Amino acid sequence: MKKHLTSLVCMAMPAMLMAANYYVVPGLKASGKDGSSWENALTMYDIFANDALYKKNETKSKYKHGDVFFLAGGTYINSLLGGNTGGDDVRICHGYTFVGGCDPSKGEVTEWPSYPSATPTIFSGDLNENGIADEGDMCNLICVRSGSLDGMDISHPENPEPATTFIGIDFTNSYSPVGTKDAAGAVHCTQGRIALQYCNIYGNVSEGEGSGDGIAAGIGIRGGRYHIMDCNIYGNKAIQTGAGLRVTSRDKSIGRGIVERCYFGDNEVSGKYGGAISYSAGDSHWLINTTIVGNKAQAEGAGVALNGSVFDGTNKAGAVDERPLRIINCTIAGNVCTADPADLYKEGSNPGSWLGSQIRLAADPAVEICNSIIVGAEDDGTIAKAAIVLKDDEKVPDKAYLNSYGGSILGTFATTMAAPTIRISWLADNMDEANPYTYAKVFGTAVPDFNGGFTKTLIPRKEILDEIGTYPLYGFEIKDFVDGLVNAGHKLPYDITIDADQTGEKRDMTETGETAPGAYDYFIAHGSSGIADIAAGAAEGIVPAGRLAWKTADGRNAAFAVYNMAGSLVKAVTAASVDISDLDRGIYVITDGTNTVKAIR
């Protein structure tokens, strides 16, 4: 799990050349120590207090851009004020790097942890200690606001400030109450640069609703740049608008960023607009090698919702308000809207709503798709159940676009527009309006699982391409597609990885090698029994598909120990195997004393 760390860390490399290292442990108040060792470790309160005092003053701040904080495993309750609605008491204003999952018993950190870690670092908002996100819990678990307030658009590359980076940290049990404005989301970024890698964001709740910005549950980006890699974002709930990730703009700062090698699952909005992801505003969004499966919304995009025109004019910062979304090597499937299709077009209801779409697009958006799988749980070709749906009147006829470069397996497309002139082009894709491709046809009974890599993926039926009778793009064609976008002047906020699939295994980028559509390339020899994220020589799964039992690779007896995410021992056996199917649903860390696996029950 270390091979992708380099690309993330290098974003701030110039500032890190003189960076200092600090050690951090859980605590409920400032430590008064210098952080030079585990014995002299800081708490997060030392860092928050510094940034509250000096904010963006790099000269006076004790900690500098590029400093690295090694966080011991354990549960961190980071609230100076006993709860918050605005994030001020958990604000980070500098480009620090926080590395979770460290084990103080191993002494000085000379090599960053592998992930998942046997000693997970958990940022929890559970102030009332009842194990769920509800009234009385924290709103934000971390708030990044590193951008300047002097009119500089921090989303532009010429701003030298490095991203605030979080690696190997879990974020759970945050709660944004009714009336929350401008600050929702367990991980919240406003006018800043944020990077996340090897993080789990789960079990967060937002009750905010309406036209305000306080309506994300998992990750809320309100202006600025974001890079989210190798993260599992699941089980988050909101009233509306992006339970897993919500991106919008803020005054002089626009949202722009990349999601790659991530998993979004079981996120839900009880209302409308993006069960997993909502792009409400912003500029240049990229989804790369990402799986979005099993999310829910009442209507209007159970998977992804996108608003905006590529020709909307300029924003308050004077920048062109261009909002294209690029979907490359992704799997978006089986996301479900819960509304009754019979109710969608009744008098008094929203005529622009529909049931079952994986992607909902509005206001002549700019969307380009390449080598992806986008299919619904159901699809009969109607607006109510189409996989991709376009709505609203055109603002600038014949200007916006909805294109596919090819190589994708797609369900049907539908629109509520009357005689739209919007440019629509599907090139060399696999679509069948008479007999639409659905989740069952492409994936059978498979469900998302850990099939190699840090994040969950979904494996298509190996026979699907033979049944279709056509084959996917060559790898070099996908590279040509991305290069063509960049060369045409479209913004790519960070470098991306297109020569690998979501597990990190290399795709065949030659002129003769095929690369399968979707986030999981089953043409690759993954060399995985479904548990490739365990350390070398680790226990192997008895039931890889369910990941509910583990045995030693050589059949020997081992002292298995199973811990919950609070660090409590919940099961211990000395045997050749251990089974967790009898435990409550949740995340567990299993170790045989030498090897470790993080498992979702």
Side-chain angles (χ1 to χ4, degrees), residues 547-550 560-565 568-573 578-590 599-601:
R547 294 179 63 84
L548 299 180
W550 277 261
F560 283 100
V562 183
Y563 297 87
N564 62 21
M565 294 308 286
S568 299
L569 179 69
V570 295
K571 191 168 190 175
V573 297
V578 62
D579 190 318
I580 64 169
S581 59
D582 59 329
L583 299 180
D584 292 337
R585 283 195 170 274
I587 299 180
Y588 296 93
V589 174
I590 304 171
I600 296 178
R601 163 73 177 91

Side-chain angles (χ1 to χ4, degrees), residues 161-239:
E161 295 178 0
T164 305
T165 301
F166 301 90
I167 301 172
I169 299 174
D170 290 1
F171 299 88
T172 187
N173 285 337
S174 79
Y175 177 78
S176 300
V178 174
T180 302
K181 295 182 179 180
D182 304 338
V187 179
H188 183 71
C189 175
T190 179
Q191 276 192 317
R193 296 186 181 209
I194 188 170
L196 300 166
Q197 189 171 34
Y198 301 129
C199 294
N200 296 298
I201 298 98
Y202 61 94
N204 302 289
V205 174
S206 173
E207 301 284 353
E209 57 184 318
S211 59
D213 295 296
I215 46 185
I219 304 172
I221 307 294
R222 188 169 175 255
R225 292 174 68 178
Y226 62 92
H227 197 182
I228 305 170
M229 296 193 295
D230 304 290
C231 291
N232 293 295
I233 302 160
Y234 61 94
N236 302 289
K237 297 182 183 298
I239 300 297

Side-chain angles (χ1 to χ4, degrees), residues 302-565:
V304 179
L306 172 70
N307 283 350
S309 168
V310 71
F311 295 99
D312 249 351
T314 58
N315 62 20
K316 294 180 181 180
V320 176
D321 198 3
E322 182 187 42
R323 304 181 189 176
L325 170 63
R326 273 85 195 207
I327 301 172
I328 303 170
N329 300 340
C330 288
T331 297
I332 306 174
N335 301 289
V336 177
C337 288
T338 57
D340 183 343
D343 294 334
L344 294 179
Y345 299 97
K346 290 181 178 179
E347 185 176 353
S349 67
N350 183 352
S353 299
W354 51 82
L355 176 72
S357 60
Q358 305 307 290
I359 302 177
R360 168 267 206 198
L361 311 168
D364 37 295
V367 179
E368 293 189 308
I369 301 167
C370 177
N371 202 53
S372 295
I373 301 174
I374 305 174
V375 295
E378 299 179 67
D379 195 338
D380 58 9
T382 65
I383 293 175
K385 296 185 178 181
I388 303 171
V389 183
L390 177 67
K391 65 167 286 190
D392 288 344
D393 296 329
E394 294 169 283
K395 296 182 179 180
V396 184
D398 198 33
K399 291 293 185 183
Y401 55 94
L402 177 58
N403 293 334
S404 174
Y405 186 75
S408 297
I409 299 174
L410 304 174
T412 59
F413 165 79
T415 178
T416 64
M417 284 182 167
T421 59
I422 188 171
R423 290 182 290 173
I424 299 172
S425 175
W426 304 116
L427 301 177
D429 289 304
N430 300 293
M431 300 178 70
D432 186 347
E433 294 184 9
N435 189 23
Y437 292 108
T438 61
Y439 186 103
K441 288 183 180 180
V442 178
F443 302 100
T445 60
V447 296
D449 204 349
F450 293 97
N451 304 297
F454 182 78
T455 56
K456 278 189 174 184
T457 50
L458 181 63
I459 303 178
R461 294 169 52 238
K462 293 184 178 180
E463 305 84 4
I464 187 64
L465 291 184
D466 289 334
E467 292 178 7
I468 290 173
T470 57
Y471 290 86
L473 298 178
Y474 296 116
F476 80 95
E477 294 179 287
I478 302 172
K479 185 177 185 301
D480 286 347
F481 170 67
V482 174
D483 289 346
L485 291 172
V486 175
N487 292 337
H490 298 293
K491 305 176 186 71
L492 183 60
Y494 301 107
D495 291 335
I496 59 175
T497 301
I498 57 171
D499 61 350
D501 74 353
Q502 187 178 327
T503 71
E505 297 291 343
K506 291 294 184 181
R507 295 182 185 265
D508 191 334
M509 304 300 286
T510 66
E511 294 191 21
T512 57
E514 295 162 346
T515 179
Y520 182 93
D521 189 342
Y522 54 72
F523 289 161
I524 294 172
H526 285 81
S528 168
S529 62
I531 344 175
D533 53 355
I534 313 175
E540 66 180 78
I542 297 173
V543 189
R547 294 179 63 84
L548 299 180
W550 277 261
K551 66 182 180 68
T552 53
D554 55 5
R556 61 181 171 81
N557 283 346
F560 283 100
V562 183
Y563 297 87
N564 62 21
M565 294 308 286

Side-chain angles (χ1 to χ4, degrees), residues 21 81 83 99 124 150 155 171 189 257 290 309 352 441 482 539 545 556 577:
N21 293 339
L81 306 177
V99 180
S124 173
D150 59 1
S155 64
F171 299 88
C189 175
T290 288
S309 168
K441 288 183 180 180
V482 174
R556 61 181 171 81
S577 65

Side-chain angles (χ1 to χ4, degrees), residues 117-289:
S117 169
T119 54
T121 295
I122 305 162
F123 282 14
S124 173
D126 192 16
L127 295 178
N128 58 23
E129 299 182 337
N130 65 356
I132 60 173
D134 59 5
E135 192 71 40
D137 288 337
M138 290 181 65
C139 174
N140 306 131
L141 308 183
I142 205 77
C143 177
V144 172
R145 186 168 180 174
S146 54
S148 300
L149 294 176
D150 59 1
M152 180 186 293
D153 183 354
I154 58 86
S155 64
H156 284 293
E158 58 268 21
N159 187 315
E161 295 178 0
T164 305
T165 301
F166 301 90
I167 301 172
I169 299 174
D170 290 1
F171 299 88
T172 187
N173 285 337
S174 79
Y175 177 78
S176 300
V178 174
T180 302
K181 295 182 179 180
D182 304 338
V187 179
H188 183 71
C189 175
T190 179
Q191 276 192 317
R193 296 186 181 209
I194 188 170
L196 300 166
Q197 189 171 34
Y198 301 129
C199 294
N200 296 298
I201 298 98
Y202 61 94
N204 302 289
V205 174
S206 173
E207 301 284 353
E209 57 184 318
S211 59
D213 295 296
I215 46 185
I219 304 172
I221 307 294
R222 188 169 175 255
R225 292 174 68 178
Y226 62 92
H227 197 182
I228 305 170
M229 296 193 295
D230 304 290
C231 291
N232 293 295
I233 302 160
Y234 61 94
N236 302 289
K237 297 182 183 298
I239 300 297
Q240 66 182 48
T241 316
L245 168 65
R246 197 268 177 115
V247 182
T248 188
S249 293
R250 181 183 189 276
D251 297 333
K252 299 178 176 63
S253 180
I254 52 179
R256 178 189 303 163
I258 293 170
V259 174
E260 57 179 320
R261 298 188 304 274
C262 288
Y263 163 72
F264 290 79
D266 299 320
N267 300 289
E268 181 176 358
V269 292
S270 55
K272 299 179 287 188
Y273 314 125
I277 300 175
S278 174
Y279 297 107
S280 300
D283 167 302
S284 188
H285 309 295
W286 299 69
L287 282 173
I288 316 291
N289 285 322

